[in-house]
Amino acid sequence: MTRHNAVTFGVILMLTFRGAIAEEIIVSPNEVRNLGVELAAPRKAEETTSIEATARVVIPPMGDVFVSAPQAGLLMRLNVAVGDEVVEGQAIAELQGSEFLALQREFLDALNTDLLAQSDYARDQQLHDEGIISGRRLQETTTRARIATTGVNEHRQLLKFSGLTDADIRALEKDQRLLQTLTIRAPIDGVVLDRMAIAGERVDRMSPVYRIADLSSLWLEISVPREKMAAVQPGMKVAIAGYSLESPPVVTNIARSIDPDTQAITVRATLSEPGHGLSPGEFASVRIVADQTSASNGLVWVLPAAAVTRSNENNYVFVRTANGFDVREVSVVSSDSDNVYLSADIDVRDKIAVRGVTTLKALWSSQDEPST
């Protein structure tokens, strides 16, 4: 064991070594007071703050729908307004136009053509079985029947694309009576965010009428600087400033590309708790956090940021012992402006230097050179 005279601080330090790193600084209680060292106990972290950032609330693509006019015509009625909640299949507008009437007529024409073709096929099949007509004629009749059936199916799909339900199409097929107005229905459960047309307006095919969004699940798009991305992992929770959520958002996706303007990476978290109060387009201050089991030994400790010192790419704290201070290596999980979150071989009963750490480090470093 080597002994050095620390003239500057008026104390004598005794150190033991493992290799070239001092493990313990031997110092008396009076000397600790003279050095201005203050102690504090570590506490277990319930969560570790990894990063503070700004997030934008956005609607997932699958929950954001523009409802367009399926046919050109006159908007006879608009049944809902901005802010109204709607359910899937609800009638939200009515459209009247010649294209819709023509589409129904073409369906009925195709349907009647198919009925005639099927009748011809049934007749020729019987005549062929009796040997009255040739196989070639039966083949031609069969082909015409198949083409007619395909035509009916095509026009049925076109009616569905126009917004008619299966029940509407069956009623048209049965009654052979054209519907005068086309009902535009909500494609999803959601909230009306915007109205882009007015009643009495003539619209073209595919002109937007409403924007409806499912707000039951939203995304937080968090802009994280590239240099801090190493601390972010899928599954980490996101705390939103000003909001206390029982089920906080969870990181689900980390973008693989970098914004060329900000040099930031977008981290996505899913917000699905009802009644959260956040609105699409809103910006919020967030913290990406990890629970305390994220450290390798299953525990994360919290200390003031000043408690940790760095040497040779490693981090250390000074733990009070009966004879002085133990220099103990720690693994930093994350940090913020006030605290550091670390994994270490420490206990709640330990007392760790949180002030005067620079002085202790200087004394410790002065012992690293071999004595002459």
Side-chain angles (χ1 to χ4, degrees), residues 108-325:
L108 294 179
D109 289 346
L111 182 65
N112 292 326
T113 299
D114 181 56
L115 291 174
L116 181 59
Q118 298 305 321
S119 177
D120 290 343
Y121 166 73
R123 182 200 61 203
D124 284 1
Q125 180 68 60
Q126 182 178 356
L127 293 175
H128 178 267
D129 292 342
E130 295 174 355
I132 299 175
I133 63 174
S134 66
R136 179 178 178 82
R137 176 173 168 179
L138 177 61
Q139 184 178 8
E140 292 173 350
T141 306
T142 302
T143 300
R144 285 194 296 270
R146 290 174 178 174
I147 293 174
T149 300
T150 301
V152 171
N153 292 334
E154 176 188 4
H155 283 85
R156 181 177 281 112
Q157 290 299 319
L158 290 174
L159 289 176
K160 287 186 177 181
F161 293 157
S162 294
L164 290 188
T165 65
D166 289 334
D168 292 333
I169 297 173
R170 285 194 298 268
L172 177 62
E173 186 174 349
K174 177 182 178 182
D175 300 335
Q176 303 274 306
R177 182 181 301 170
L178 302 182
L179 299 175
Q180 298 302 308
T181 58
L182 171 61
T183 301
I184 302 175
R185 302 182 184 276
I188 60 171
D189 296 346
V191 176
V192 178
L193 296 187
D194 197 5
R195 174 175 59 85
M196 285 78 75
I198 59 175
E201 178 183 358
R202 289 193 174 276
V203 295
D204 295 327
R205 184 173 180 272
M206 302 307 296
S207 295
V209 179
Y210 285 113
R211 181 189 177 197
I212 299 176
D214 178 6
L215 303 184
S216 62
S217 180
L218 297 174
W219 284 353
L220 294 177
E221 290 189 345
I222 309 167
S223 183
V224 179
R226 180 180 181 181
E227 61 271 16
K228 297 183 179 181
M229 282 305 304
V232 182
Q233 299 293 332
M236 296 174 73
K237 296 179 181 179
V238 179
I240 307 174
Y243 295 87
S244 179
L245 304 178
E246 293 183 3
S247 301
V250 175
V251 173
T252 56
N253 181 271
I254 299 174
R256 297 180 180 271
S257 59
I258 299 175
D259 188 310
D261 296 326
T262 64
Q263 290 297 293
I265 295 177
T266 300
V267 174
R268 183 194 306 155
T270 300
L271 174 64
S272 56
E273 180 174 317
H276 46 70
L278 291 164
S279 301
E282 181 177 352
F283 285 88
S285 297
V286 301
R287 293 182 300 118
I288 303 176
V289 299
D291 62 35
Q292 58 90 18
T293 60
S294 63
S296 58
N297 68 351
L299 286 177
V300 174
W301 301 95
V302 185
L303 284 169
V308 177
T309 187
R310 190 169 179 82
S311 178
N312 296 327
E313 304 300 323
N314 296 319
N315 296 293
Y316 299 91
V317 294
F318 297 100
V319 182
R320 189 72 167 97
T321 64
N323 298 320
F325 289 93

Side-chain angles (χ1 to χ4, degrees), residues 333-350:
V333 176
S334 61
S335 63
D336 54 34
S337 58
D338 299 318
N339 299 311
V340 63
Y341 303 81
L342 50 86
S343 171
D345 182 18
I346 56 178
D347 189 85
V348 290
R349 295 167 295 182
D350 288 331

